[in-house]
Amino acid sequence: MAEIRAEMVANVWKVLVAEGDDVSDGDTLVILESMKMEIPILAEDAGTVGQLKVAEGDVVQEGDLIAVIE
Amino acid sequence: MGVSRVLVANRGEIAVRIIRACRSLGLQTVAAVSDADRESMAAHMADRVVCIGPARSTESYLNVGALVVAAQGTGADALHPGYGFLAESAELAVACAVFGITFVGPSPEHIRQLGNKLEAREMVRNLGVPTLPGSRKVHTIEEAKARAAEIGYPILFKAASGGGGRGIKTVSEPGALPATFEMASAEARAAFGDDTLYVERYVPDARHIEVQVLGDRFGHAVHLGERDCSLQRRYQKVVEEAPAACVPPAVREEIRVAGATVAAKLGYESAGTIEFIYDQDSERFYFLEMNTRIQVEHPVTEMLTGLDLVGLQLAIADGGTLPVSQSDVVFQGHAIECRVTAESTEDGFRPSPGRITDWEPPRAPGVRVDTHCYPGYVVPPFYDSLLAKLIVHGADRAEALARMREALASFVVRGVDTTIPFLRDLLNDPDFEAGNVNTRWIEEKKLGRA
């Protein structure tokens, strides 16, 4: 199980997966936006999206949980 | 006429800059802020504050209706749009006119015409100013190939509705054209909702030289000299200086006159900037585009001429006559500006929003810092990453360089990562000192990307 957390304050610009989706290592899960830059958040392992804690338009703080890959 | 209260329709350092200019003219100010900027320096400084919407700029700083309502509700009789956001929106300028609010900028017609890059190029070419060889809109690969062959390689694809450097792609030879065409139109569609492209000659060894102009509604126009903004990263300016010491003086004078000619012949009102590409091989220059607003880097020109450009914009918008003629404009010494942004340069220029714990900008003779930051300020993630503009003035380029190095060395920021270490490295580079740079220098020589 891998927890994916935000590395910085950012807006959630796009959510590209849903809970239950199978993902591969390197797949883009979510695209954050901070200071006009897009920051893709990638899966670091293959697995299933167990939890998805963000929705488009949310603001995440540094350390906030974005998703759990099981 | 008679402007007395100005709505500041922007944020960050330029909102602070506009408020200072208003104060020195005895004008009242209203800061239009998003939810995220309620604790901003502009909000603290302004006489009144009005919230125009949520943090997201599409619902606040880019909302024409909210700004006009804010101006009316607070009794503001003028609106200054700053740069970025709606600064070059003809729609905002028209809305202001409809509701009897003085828009601090040029006419809606000039904003519209000059904002359309293809139309602007045609207008300027008709005034006898050199423009880059380029096409009208191209819709197919075959059309693009034919135009590129006429213009000559290397060429650039640019998005017809584009800006900010997005959607620009280079093609060095015909074989690479089809794939690049597809990529550029896909990017243009994603970024601007319009995949139309045009073709332009690409100048590999180029400097970006721009001319500051001012005009009034009575047909007076002057140039305030040029700025060299060749140090760029991803088409965003990083360091700007004036005068453009690396361009031969005779050519420099020609560029200045070309800029003044454009402003005068168009009957342009307010501050504007005419951007040129200078080809270092052929020593020729070409009109690129005109920006119909105050520029980020306007302090470089202020340091050189002693003029208050934002103050002059306000005076002109209020129906005043341009108080300077060309012979009154005197250029003294050399000025350099560095843009300090909240990015981690060691980590691929990753954005670095958050709380600034320590903020100690340099203080010294000939040093100016335009900023909205203070100790404890939380840099929000919603907007661009500019924290401060550090501007120095010296008797000559060598003195200005020395002052900038010293200013960068003593600039302390903690809590967020900044580009200060990167700027220190740039300013100490022998190539930069010698003037051996072009618009690709940062990406190719400093960051090692071809």
Side-chain angles (χ1 to χ4, degrees):
Chain A
M1 205 180 79
E3 290 187 344
I4 312 265
R5 291 182 179 274
E7 282 186 22
M8 69 185 83
V9 186
N11 316 304
V12 179
W13 185 49
K14 281 189 175 151
V15 176
L16 303 172
V17 294
E19 284 183 5
D21 283 2
D22 288 329
V23 293
S24 311
D25 184 8
D27 279 1
T28 304
L29 307 173
V30 167
I31 302 177
L32 301 181
E33 183 197 29
S34 184
M35 303 185 136
K36 292 184 168 179
M37 271 183 72
E38 293 165 22
I39 303 145
I41 304 298
L42 311 179
E44 286 162 13
D45 273 310
T48 306
V49 180
Q51 293 176 49
L52 187 66
K53 293 293 191 189
V54 296
E56 289 181 9
D58 286 358
V59 175
V60 291
Q61 302 295 323
E62 188 178 334
D64 281 1
L65 186 62
I66 293 175
V68 178
I69 306 295
E70 291 168 348
Chain B
M1 291 311 288
V3 166
S4 62
R5 186 178 293 167
V6 179
L7 185 91
V8 181
N10 213 300
R11 63 173 308 282
E13 67 84 21
I14 195 63
V16 172
R17 171 73 188 86
I18 294 164
I19 291 169
R20 288 193 200 284
C22 289
R23 278 185 177 176
S24 69
L25 292 170
L27 302 173
Q28 291 180 21
T29 52
V30 181
V33 301
S34 75
D35 269 334
D37 284 333
R38 286 174 183 272
E39 292 303 315
S40 65
M41 188 184 282
H44 287 293
M45 287 172 69
D47 298 307
R48 292 185 67 175
V49 180
V50 56
C51 183
I52 48 163
R56 202 162 274 273
S57 50
T58 46
E59 295 167 55
S60 49
Y61 297 108
L62 291 170
N63 185 339
V64 171
L67 290 169
V68 171
V69 168
Q72 287 198 304
T74 53
D77 43 28
L79 180 153
H80 196 305
Y83 54 69
F85 296 123
L86 293 172
E88 288 170 284
S89 159
E91 189 194 344
L92 177 62
V94 168
C96 285
V98 167
F99 289 96
I101 302 159
T102 299
F103 179 77
V104 183
S107 70
E109 191 55 12
H110 276 152
I111 296 175
R112 194 195 59 72
Q113 289 175 325
L114 295 161
N116 179 322
K117 291 184 182 179
L118 291 173
E119 194 175 336
R121 195 174 63 190
E122 191 118 345
M123 280 169 68
V124 167
R125 184 185 294 148
N126 291 338
L127 299 177
V129 171
T131 58
L132 271 176
S135 73
R136 294 169 185 239
K137 292 177 182 179
V138 291
H139 300 279
T140 63
I141 292 178
E142 284 63 43
E143 237 186 302
K145 271 188 176 165
R147 297 294 87 77
E150 290 162 15
I151 291 162
Y153 288 86
I155 58 113
L156 283 177
F157 280 126
K158 287 188 173 179
S161 309
R166 296 219 277 183
I168 301 181
K169 298 266 176 246
T170 338
V171 184
S172 51
E173 46 93 22
L177 185 140
T180 313
F181 181 91
E182 300 287 359
M183 218 191 312
S185 44
E187 206 171 290
R189 193 181 313 122
F192 311 110
D194 172 10
D195 61 6
T196 316
L197 303 176
Y198 64 97
V199 182
E200 202 169 75
R201 162 87 53 80
Y202 176 53
V203 180
D205 189 15
R207 276 179 181 271
H208 175 114
I209 308 290
E210 60 184 31
V211 180
Q212 177 70 54
V213 296
L214 273 178
D216 68 19
R217 68 187 59 173
F218 309 104
H220 308 116
V222 295
H223 74 73
L224 303 181
E226 79 292 344
R227 296 182 287 256
D228 184 338
C229 313
S230 300
L231 260 52
Q232 304 185 0
R233 181 183 157 266
R234 297 187 168 187
Y235 300 99
Q236 299 295 315
K237 295 162 188 167
V238 177
V239 179
E240 300 102 342
E241 59 183 306
C246 304
V247 177
V251 183
R252 212 189 298 164
E253 185 55 27
E254 271 184 68
I255 296 175
R256 290 174 171 184
V257 169
T261 303
V262 171
K265 289 197 177 165
L266 292 179
Y268 184 83
E269 180 183 335
S270 193
T273 298
I274 300 157
E275 299 190 337
F276 295 94
I277 283 290
Y278 172 66
D279 184 340
Q280 302 200 93
D281 285 338
S282 65
E283 297 195 348
R284 293 172 70 158
F285 64 91
Y286 307 95
F287 169 84
L288 194 60
E289 63 180 62
M290 179 162 180
N291 297 320
T292 55
R293 53 168 158 82
I294 193 77
Q295 298 277 100
V296 175
E297 59 274 25
H298 75 274
V300 170
T301 299
E302 293 185 327
M303 298 290 260
L304 217 59
T305 60
L307 295 169
D308 175 349
L309 288 184
V310 181
L312 287 166
Q313 275 190 306
L314 289 160
I316 291 167
D318 199 18
T321 314
L322 197 58
V324 283
S325 66
Q326 194 63 62
S327 57
D328 298 332
V329 180
V330 181
F331 304 99
Q332 240 170 3
H334 195 93
I336 307 176
E337 173 181 282
C338 285
R339 299 191 189 189
V340 175
T341 59
E343 290 171 299
S344 172
T345 44
E346 284 117 71
D347 194 3
F349 289 84
R350 184 173 60 83
S352 180
R355 182 177 297 276
I356 295 176
T357 53
D358 298 83
W359 179 261
E360 294 161 29
R363 281 166 183 266
V367 175
R368 165 176 165 182
V369 182
D370 280 20
T371 185
H372 57 294
C373 294
Y374 52 85
Y377 175 63
V378 178
V379 182
F382 308 102
Y383 313 107
D384 71 57
S385 57
L386 186 66
L387 296 178
K389 304 186 302 202
L390 175 57
I391 311 110
V392 301
H393 185 252
D396 53 23
R397 188 167 188 261
E399 188 177 68
L401 278 172
R403 285 186 164 167
M404 182 57 90
R405 288 182 188 127
E406 176 53 32
L408 285 166
S410 60
F411 202 152
V412 176
V413 184
R414 292 191 195 92
V416 300
D417 291 330
T418 76
T419 48
I420 293 171
F422 177 68
L423 291 165
R424 285 179 191 146
D425 177 52
L426 284 186
L427 266 287
N428 282 309
D429 192 291
D431 276 345
F432 176 66
E433 178 157 12
N436 295 328
V437 300
N438 59 29
T439 51
R440 298 185 299 165
W441 182 74
I442 285 187
E443 304 234 354
E444 290 182 359
K445 298 281 164 54
K446 301 305 289 183
L447 302 173
R449 268 196 296 271

